[in-house]
Amino acid sequence: MSLPREQRAAAIRAAIESALAPVALEIEDESHRHAGHAGAQDGRGHFRVAVVSQAFAGMLPLARHRAVYAAVGELMTTDIHALAIVARTPDEASSKVGS
């Protein structure tokens, strides 16, 4: 069962914080940009997340994305249609300011 639209970002935040203990986390609901898109017809949303966590140390980019998908878990089937991910370690984030 899906959450009300206004509660989805908070649920994503709680799931990622619990699983990955990020030092920084930004979540943007981009659903409005996809109105009329076939994937938006089922009511699930489009989100962009930028996660900075030490948990990503030593992981390849694909493994980092899998970790984020695992963190949001069931939300992918109930509330999230698309999830764009930027996943960095604290060292990477501090060396890529503005990107």
Side-chain angles (χ1 to χ4, degrees), residues 1-5 8 31 34-47 74-83:
M1 182 158 162
S2 66
L3 295 168
R5 190 171 300 277
R8 292 177 179 169
S31 299
H34 300 276
H37 176 270
Q41 292 177 1
D42 66 3
R44 294 183 297 154
H46 291 70
F47 295 88
E74 186 68 20
L75 292 170
M76 288 301 300
T77 61
T78 59
D79 294 283
I80 303 169
H81 171 73
L83 185 63

Side-chain angles (χ1 to χ4, degrees), residues 5-13 16 24-34 44-51 68 72 79-86:
R5 190 171 300 277
E6 63 275 2
Q7 293 178 10
R8 292 177 179 169
I12 293 167
R13 178 174 299 282
I16 292 173
L25 174 59
E26 295 177 17
I27 301 169
E28 182 180 354
D29 184 346
E30 298 183 331
S31 299
H32 64 283
R33 295 182 184 166
H34 300 276
R44 294 183 297 154
H46 291 70
F47 295 88
R48 177 174 301 280
V49 296
V51 186
V68 174
V72 297
D79 294 283
I80 303 169
H81 171 73
L83 185 63
I85 301 168
V86 175

